[in-house]
Amino acid sequence: MAALNGVRWLTRAVVAVRSPGAWRGLSISVTANAASQAQDMKVEGAFPVTMLPGDGVGPELMHAVKEVFKAASVPVEFQEHHLSEVQNMASEEKLEQVLNSMKENKVAIIGKIHTPMEYKGELASYDMRLRRKLDLFANVVHVKSLPGYMTRHNNLDLVIIREQTEGEYSSLEHESARGVIECLKIVTRTKSQRIAKFAFDYATKKGRSKVTAVHKANIMKLGDGLFLQCCEEVAELYPKIKFETMIIDNCCMQLVQNPYQFDVLVMPNLYGNIIDNLAAGLVGGAGVVPGESYSAEYAVFETGARHPFAQAVGRNIANPTAMLLSASNMLRHLNLEYHSSTIADAVKKVIKVGKVRTSDMGGYATCHDFTEAVIDALSHP
């Protein structure tokens, strides 16, 4: 993760930034007409961010982000790329273009790149290949109840950290004999230690008190056994953080019965994919939970529960909350604290007031209605 230090706001029109590490110097004034420049033109003084709308309602959600950013005068220049396996917009050339953009900008916001179930000669999807090539090993989903929106469990606040570069999603499958498929699960000490350390570092930085390692070591004694062993070894280096372990099936039941017992959960790939979605359902569903993925150099912001919501395409009913909150988290990562807080507060205000809600939250508002309500809340905090 590339950090940006020394951001100081003089006015909304002028940004002075000192940029160490991978970021180039951006000490340039942002003029008032920057937002009106053409998309493919460079915006002076703005932070370059790669945008990948993805499939399903992704393009609609990204449009909501762009509209809110424009209304809030956010100094970000989106470099938009399109990569889709279902819209015939996926190729090695396009993948390389996206990778080059993300490697240059270090920060990206992406929609769900849908993976077809049909086998067409390549086991690894473009989404998986993108994450591997950038080594986006840590997926972080902060599951937090939204004030004013009542669900089965309220006042929840837990974090799910998932290793997403190995495990069951290693794309190593073959037919060893006719009618017999072997699917390999890869677990390495290096990556297990890395994700465990990330979880404990995250807990320390965010003032969290407990980390729970989720596993199935009672059955997969070597694979999950290694993951669990690595977590236990790392836990010894953080005596102030309470450490617990829990078997994945019990974890699912406990999340439904008593989710308040959890703080930070760390787990391998497949378990994390399942728990992300289960936990999102506890606070309102895929439309309200933001997520992010990190490597040592790059940060990618997305929805916490990755669903294309294809049945809603073109119907203007998608909930942009998760993507807007994810975009707010991206701004905080860029040290644009003022704009991050302004947008997050506007989204939460609209939800708390309760007059404008999309269908998944029990309302009748469209995606456009919700976006406009957020924009209105920006000017009337």
Side-chain angles (χ1 to χ4, degrees):
M1 291 180 286
L4 296 175
N5 300 314
V7 177
R8 296 291 185 269
W9 287 95
L10 301 178
T11 67
R12 288 193 178 186
V14 180
V15 183
V17 182
R18 294 192 300 274
S19 173
W23 287 94
R24 299 179 300 277
L26 295 173
S27 304
I28 310 171
S29 296
V30 179
T31 57
N33 64 350
S36 64
Q37 295 186 28
Q39 181 177 324
D40 59 345
M41 294 178 65
K42 297 293 182 182
V43 180
E44 286 190 308
F47 292 85
V49 171
T50 302
M51 174 179 279
L52 201 59
D55 296 308
V57 296
E60 297 173 48
L61 300 181
M62 292 304 180
H63 179 72
V65 170
K66 288 187 284 189
E67 289 297 302
V68 171
F69 273 36
K70 181 179 178 181
S73 301
V74 178
V76 162
E77 174 211 349
F78 287 119
Q79 298 175 4
E80 194 167 329
H81 295 267
H82 295 274
L83 186 68
S84 171
E85 293 188 60
V86 296
Q87 301 178 51
N88 295 319
M89 290 192 294
S91 65
E92 293 300 321
E93 182 181 1
K94 285 186 177 293
L95 178 62
E96 200 61 34
Q97 290 174 355
V98 172
L99 284 169
N100 289 338
S101 176
M102 294 173 79
K103 287 178 179 179
E104 181 179 359
N105 297 333
K106 309 297 184 184
V107 178
I109 184 167
I110 67 174
K112 167 62 178 172
I113 304 173
H114 183 60
T115 302
M117 289 193 216
E118 298 82 10
Y119 173 57
K120 298 181 180 179
E122 176 62 59
L123 290 170
S125 67
Y126 278 87
D127 183 40
M128 291 168 61
R129 291 165 66 188
L130 188 68
R131 295 176 191 277
R132 285 183 196 163
K133 286 180 179 292
L134 295 173
D135 195 27
L136 295 167
F137 69 92
N139 177 242
V140 181
V141 176
H142 187 183
V143 179
K144 188 173 183 179
S145 298
L146 294 168
Y149 180 46
M150 303 298 290
T151 56
R152 184 178 297 273
H153 296 287
N154 297 295
N155 301 315
L156 280 182
D157 186 359
L158 58 95
V159 177
I160 301 161
I161 296 176
R162 160 194 177 195
E163 205 295 323
Q164 61 176 3
T165 58
E166 59 176 14
E168 296 83 358
Y169 295 178
S170 298
S171 303
L172 296 174
E173 300 180 75
H174 63 275
E175 188 172 19
S176 55
R178 188 174 179 82
V180 179
I181 302 295
E182 291 183 341
C183 180
L184 303 182
K185 171 177 177 172
I186 306 299
V187 181
T188 64
R189 174 173 291 277
T190 299
K191 292 189 175 182
S192 295
Q193 288 178 333
R194 180 172 67 170
I195 194 65
K197 188 175 187 306
F198 181 94
F200 278 92
D201 284 343
Y202 182 96
T204 301
K205 180 180 178 180
K206 301 294 184 179
R208 300 271 174 170
S209 60
K210 182 172 71 172
V211 172
T212 302
V214 181
H215 64 93
K216 193 64 176 175
N218 59 323
I219 302 298
M220 287 173 274
K221 301 181 187 298
L222 297 182
D224 279 24
L226 176 59
F227 174 82
L228 183 58
Q229 179 187 346
C230 291
C231 289
E232 291 171 341
E233 292 171 355
V234 172
E236 293 179 0
L237 304 175
Y238 298 81
K240 294 183 179 180
I241 303 294
K242 185 178 180 181
F243 176 64
E244 293 182 350
T245 67
M246 188 172 290
I247 295 173
I248 177 62
D249 37 343
N250 183 35
C251 180
C252 291
M253 180 180 69
Q254 294 295 330
L255 272 169
V256 174
Q257 286 189 324
N258 179 25
Y260 302 100
Q261 65 185 287
F262 297 107
D263 195 354
V264 175
L265 300 94
V266 60
M267 60 200 75
N269 208 336
L270 176 61
Y271 309 155
N273 197 177
I274 295 168
I275 295 298
D276 282 347
N277 285 265
L278 189 158
L282 297 177
V283 295
V288 300
V289 179
E292 52 225 50
S293 294
Y294 296 102
S295 72
E297 295 183 72
Y298 313 113
V300 172
F301 296 84
E302 57 197 333
T303 55
R306 301 169 191 163
H307 293 282
F309 201 15
Q311 64 270 32
V313 174
R315 296 171 60 192
N316 195 22
I317 61 173
N319 187 348
T321 299
M323 194 62 81
L324 288 172
L325 292 177
S326 184
S328 169
N329 292 339
M330 179 189 74
L331 295 179
R332 181 168 291 109
H333 175 77
L334 293 171
N335 277 348
L336 298 176
E337 291 284 349
Y338 171 78
H339 290 92
S340 172
S341 299
T342 300
I343 291 173
D345 290 347
V347 172
K348 293 173 184 177
K349 178 183 178 182
V350 171
I351 292 173
K352 188 174 184 179
V353 171
K355 293 182 179 179
V356 182
R357 289 184 178 175
T358 49
S359 58
D360 61 315
M361 300 182 77
Y364 301 93
T366 64
C367 180
H368 176 75
D369 292 337
F370 190 93
T371 304
E372 288 299 311
V374 171
I375 291 173
D376 184 62
L378 288 172
S379 56
H380 300 89

